[in-house]
């Protein structure tokens, strides 16, 4: 069955280190998204992509970057991790023609010490 | 993206019908209404989407009055496994862009035996 996966599921890192979170989907969806979820804030959009080589900033993009070299993957990089980036990160994807319906991965819990 | 207002939490018992109302007073003509469900330690999952009147699927029903300024998600005969956070989203992704997708804090539903 087609799916969306994230790795690692849990990550502990130190302030200042570069961290990359992986997201892989096998639905061949054009659109992919990264969100972070913190208590009291719901989900907030970090970056999104409409297709290969396309990336766009979301609501809370500072300190994060993404690249889209193929349809299946959208890795999220924290260039220099900060304690404020401790959060749960969700990746999602959606087909080009489907209204709003996004399919979410299981999440990555990141702790920055 | 139209701002939405939902109750922070609701309590229910097994076997009861649960109705969660979402207010979206400034909904635009092209906007659709979408509901997602999120279980602890999982990503959100699409439940239902509608534009007007009533939509029903195997999981829930969505009631939208003629003025579309609110909507009600109805969960028939809830079980313990329906304990989750429910998010109401309003928007037309094709025109406004994914950048403005906002989940908010949702409604935390607790179903008790």
């Amino acid at each position: 069955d087609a799916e969306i996966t994230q790795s690692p599921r849990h990550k502990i890192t130190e302030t200042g280190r570069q961290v990359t979170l992986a997201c892989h989907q096998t639905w061949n969806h054009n659109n992919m998204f990264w969100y972070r979820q913190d208590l009291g804030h719901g989900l907030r959009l970090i970056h999104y992509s409409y297709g290969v080589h396309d990336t766009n900033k979301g609501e809370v993009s500072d300190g994060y970057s993404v690249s889209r070299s193929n349809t299946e993957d959208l890795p999220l990089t924290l260039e220099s991790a900060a304690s404020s980036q401790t959060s749960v990160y969700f990746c999602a994807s959606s087909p080009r023609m489907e209204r709003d319906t996004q399919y979410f991965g299981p999440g990555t819990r990141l702790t920055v010490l | 993206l139209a701002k939405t207002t939902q109750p922070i939490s609701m309590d229910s018992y097994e076997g009861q019908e649960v109705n969660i109302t979402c207010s979206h007073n400034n909904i635009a003509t092209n906007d659709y209404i979408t509901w997602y469900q999120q279980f602890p330690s999982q990503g959100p999952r699409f439940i239902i989407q509608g534009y007007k009147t009533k939509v029903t699927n195997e999981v829930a029903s969505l009631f939208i009055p003629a003025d579309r300024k609110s909507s009600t998600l109805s969960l028939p005969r809830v079980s313990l496994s329906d304990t989750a956070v429910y998010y109401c989203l309003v928007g037309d992704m094709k025109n406004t862009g994914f950048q403005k997708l906002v989940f908010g804090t949702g409604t935390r539903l607790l179903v008790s035996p």
Side-chain angles (χ1 to χ4, degrees), chain A residues 15-92:
Chain A
T15 300
R17 289 188 179 270
Q18 183 181 77
V19 177
T20 297
L21 309 182
C23 175
H24 179 80
Q25 53 98 2
T26 59
W27 283 300
N28 202 36
H29 286 168
N30 288 301
N31 307 319
M32 295 185 73
F33 312 85
W34 273 105
Y35 296 87
R36 60 178 290 176
Q37 186 171 37
D38 306 288
L39 284 175
H41 286 280
L43 284 93
R44 292 182 289 176
L45 184 64
I46 305 172
H47 281 286
Y48 60 101
S49 168
Y50 289 131
V52 177
H53 302 310
D54 176 77
T55 60
N56 305 277
K57 294 181 178 180
E59 178 189 359
V60 289
S61 60
D62 288 348
Y64 303 94
S65 64
V66 293
S67 62
R68 187 90 179 269
S69 59
N70 57 53
T71 302
E72 296 80 19
D73 300 288
L74 187 69
L76 176 71
T77 298
L78 287 69
E79 300 294 342
S80 178
S83 58
S84 60
Q85 294 177 308
T86 292
S87 186
V88 179
Y89 291 86
F90 289 101
C91 178

